């Protein structure tokens, strides 16, 4: 769900942020991973620029976990037509399925986010 998009810089069909100007942006991502069977391991978030990995953040919980929350932030230089994407990966010790819940219980608080905004320099 897109909450607001000043300038129409986020594409809901490609899941890409394209700044639309030459300069700097602050990009942030946060993802919550959940496994009811408590087997989460190797949680990774990637930020891609123009289809190539720009950076990544990895968390290896000490022992199997039920829930892991990860965030990753970066300041980037870009052209008007550069685009950014987010990828997430998580392994389990038992090969089971994981969830990335959209909301937190009945509170409708978003767990996951991806945003970028212009930095004035």
């Amino acid at each position: 769900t897109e909450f607001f998009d000043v300038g129409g810089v986020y594409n809901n069909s490609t899941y890409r942020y394209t700044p639309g100007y030459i300069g700097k942006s602050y990009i942030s991502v946060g993802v919550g991973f959940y496994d009811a069977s408590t087997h989460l391991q190797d949680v990774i978030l990637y930020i891609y620029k123009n289809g190539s990995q720009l950076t990544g953040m990895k968390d290896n919980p000490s022992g199997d976990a039920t829930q892991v929350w990860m965030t990753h932030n970066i300041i980037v230089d870009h052209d008007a037509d550069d685009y950014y994407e987010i990828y997430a990966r998580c392994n389990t010790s038992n090969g089971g399925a994981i969830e990335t819940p959209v909301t937190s219980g009945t509170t409708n608080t978003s767990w996951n986010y991806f945003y970028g905004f212009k930095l004035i320099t």
Side-chain angles (χ1 to χ4, degrees):
T1 302
E2 186 176 19
F3 293 110
F4 60 91
D5 184 359
V6 177
V9 295
Y10 182 74
N11 186 320
N12 278 311
S13 63
T14 63
Y15 309 108
R16 293 177 177 169
Y17 165 66
T18 305
Y21 68 94
I22 298 171
K24 293 184 183 295
S25 283
Y26 178 88
I27 296 177
S28 184
V29 58
V31 178
F33 299 89
Y34 176 76
D35 177 15
S37 63
T38 314
H39 293 282
L40 290 179
Q41 295 181 332
D42 301 327
V43 180
I44 309 168
L45 290 179
Y46 300 102
I47 298 175
Y48 274 59
K49 178 179 180 181
N50 299 329
S52 297
Q53 182 182 334
L54 181 62
T55 185
M57 180 68 72
K58 183 175 183 178
D59 183 10
N60 295 344
S62 58
D64 290 343
T66 301
Q67 186 173 310
V68 175
W69 170 255
M70 284 203 57
T71 63
H72 191 34
N73 311 291
I74 188 170
I75 295 174
V76 293
D77 290 303
H78 52 73
D79 293 332
D81 59 351
D82 287 338
Y83 65 90
Y84 296 89
E85 302 167 289
I86 302 304
Y87 291 91
R89 177 180 174 172
C90 182
N91 296 318
T92 61
S93 61
N94 67 348
I98 61 160
E99 297 177 45
T100 55
V102 176
T103 59
S104 177
T106 59
T107 64
N108 291 326
T109 302
S110 295
W111 273 40
N112 306 315
Y113 63 83
F114 167 41
Y115 65 82
F117 60 83
K118 180 178 185 176
L119 293 178
I120 304 219
T121 56

